[in-house]
Amino acid sequence: MDLTFVDAILTKHNRDTRSLLAIMQDIQEEVRYLPKEAVQHLSKELSIPLSRIYAMATFYNSFHLEPRGKYTCTVCMGTACHVAGAPRLVEQLERDLKIDSGKTTPDLMFSIEEVNCVGACALAPLLIVNGEYNSNMTSDAVSRKIKKLKKEEGGA
Ligand code: FES
């Protein structure tokens, strides 16, 4: 993996160990997750133990240690969304994308995620795609959404 972008981020933060969290956030923003190679590089360049970086990544659960798709399909599994049919939305995503929830497609286009209530219960059940809220979703609407995104990307 080309780590030039990690060096650029380190330079931006003056290689200041106090900026570790911001550095990790910038890396994730660049490649959508924290690659193992990038974490090792950080550890070496900043003389911070790997274990400390991983502990931080785990503590702040906004960090991802596995590659993520260009589109993150997040289904709210809070009570209101659950009752309104959220599990069916997850099943539909799993069928359409041929991956399990929590995973990413091999072409790195889509990831499926489940979250707890995001505070928009009036919109239940809710599918969030890269931060865009899709309210009152049905299995059919999920399929249409995925098809549309695939088409935009030039796929099937
Ligand atoms: S339960 Fe889904 S937004 Fe509250």
Side-chain angles (χ1 to χ4, degrees), residues 76 78-81 117-121 126:
C76 174
T79 307
C81 287
C117 179
V118 294
C121 307
L126 188 60

Side-chain angles (χ1 to χ4, degrees), residues 75-83 86 115-126 128 133:
V75 178
C76 174
M77 293 296 265
T79 307
C81 287
H82 198 280
V83 168
V115 291
N116 291 323
C117 179
V118 294
C121 307
L123 308 179
L126 188 60
I128 307 167
Y133 281 37

